Amino acid sequence: MKPPKGILPLQTFSLILGFAVWGILSSLIVFIKDGIALTPGQLSLVTAVPVVLGSILRIPFGYWTNKFGARNMFLVSFIVLLAPVFYISQAQSFTDLIIGGLFLGISGATFSVGVTSLPKYYPKDKHGFVNGIYGLGNLGSAISTFFAPVLASQIGWRSTVQMYLILLAAFALANFLIGDRKESKLNVRLMEQIKGIYRNEKLWLICFFYFITFGSFVAFTVFLPNHLVNTFGISKVDAGLRTAGFVTLATFMRPTGGWLGDRFNPFKILVLVFSGLTIGGILLAFSPSIPLFTVGCLLIGLCAGLGNGTIFKLVPLYFTKQSGIANGLISAIGGLGGFFPPLMLASLKAITGHYAIGFMALGMVALCSVLLALYMYWQDRVKLAEQMIQSTSQAVLVTNSKGLILSVNPAFTAITGYTKEAAIGQKPGFLKSGLHDKKFYDSMWKQLAEEQAWSGSIWNKKRNGEVYLQHITINAIQNDVGETAYYVGVFNEIDASETGKAALRSPGIPSPARLHL
């Protein structure tokens, strides 16, 4: 499907607005707490609560996008958001902020709309980059953290919040007029889609990866403004600028991560990403000064952005038919990754008097993710090798060093008549025709031992009793210490009448003329 003109910019700018609205409370919290008395625990809850609904709603938002289209989802979301944004502008208590912030989470859920809709318009080799461009919508958080404090210092935080009402109305109208009315729909029942993916271990590992990368992005976005003011004593506007720098770096790294995922193995990129997050977490745990803290935060932002872009390259590769629910679930887990860290850091600060343990925990979790990314990379390589064996037209059997069959492919069954279940666990000798003498097999094994390979023609017997001639190549596969671990035989059936003369040149093989079959 050719993408309609302007569809990518429209959805990207819609997400920018969504993230800008999502970050209203965290970007203005240093002003809000001057007018509404909040304890440190309440302050953490106020900034974290929008993440909850914004994360949970990503699951149905992905499903609804496939069912109703991105145009309708953005349009309805922006209209509904008018109510909680206005309510927050009139808030007088902690309870008002919690209620308004909870429904503010609708804006964060809009992320699932574009990542589900846009891949329909582009080929797979561009999905990573396209989703990365859409991910620039994270800039909305930077815009809020940069401009909202500046505006609030001039006209007050309540009037600043009301300015978002104008933007919401404008983008609701833009999606109504410009959005794609003919977007292809996928009307598959929700439970049917869930059943298609919930047992897939890759889904849960990708969810965990996004929990770390996007969770780091969201957590630092809501945590940094207040932390910088209280810990380092800088001004509110300066804290907003520094947080905006973190968000901008992470956001612009997102399309870079998608682009790299299109061109290289995504799991290799994720190994580098989580290695960087490990170093960043350790650096923050031991950084007493703001310059070192800044370096650690920027490293976290760079790696989180690269990881966010790379991860959404993986979704269309593994979940083509369930992209909506998979995108929603992965996005939801990632959003929840931004909910818990600020609360955990506040609790640890209250218990220990500092944040070092919390930052060290981030580094250790990232280190575990390095190992998981390596595992998925290895698993993909093994699966690729298995697919190559299963799809080849030649018969393949693999044995261990003792000669017990470990694996066969469909071509083996087609030639011999023996199923995989009948062959595995036996020695290849069960295929013997009885037409070769001991000298023939001794010569074959001697050559295998000396040269690690043997090739020739052998008479074997099929399951139905028919004797046939096959040409086989056997290779010995050695482990890291040079010991033979496996034998791989690749063979195909050949016409005995045409190859009989050639077969006679191999020792121990009788002439077809001597056989009475």
Side-chain angles (χ1 to χ4, degrees), residues 90 151 182 365 463:
Q90 306 299 311
L151 199 57
K182 299 179 180 179
V365 172
R463 187 170 188 173

Side-chain angles (χ1 to χ4, degrees), residues 17 21 78-79 81-82 85 164-173:
L17 176 60
V21 173
F78 291 154
I79 292 174
L81 280 167
L82 292 171
V85 171
Y164 287 87
L165 297 172
I166 300 172
L167 294 172
L168 286 169
F171 271 84
L173 181 62

Side-chain angles (χ1 to χ4, degrees), residues 1-8 121-122 178 180:
M1 178 190 298
K2 185 178 180 181
K5 187 177 181 181
I7 196 67
L8 179 57
Y121 300 107
Y122 297 91
I178 308 173
D180 183 14

Side-chain angles (χ1 to χ4, degrees), residues 388-397 408-415 471-473 489-494:
M388 292 172 64
I389 291 174
Q390 295 298 315
S391 62
T392 183
S393 60
Q394 291 184 301
V396 179
L397 76 159
V408 297
N409 69 343
F412 174 92
T413 301
I415 292 176
H471 186 273
I472 185 169
T473 298
V490 180
F491 66 89
N492 59 283
E493 185 175 1
I494 55 180

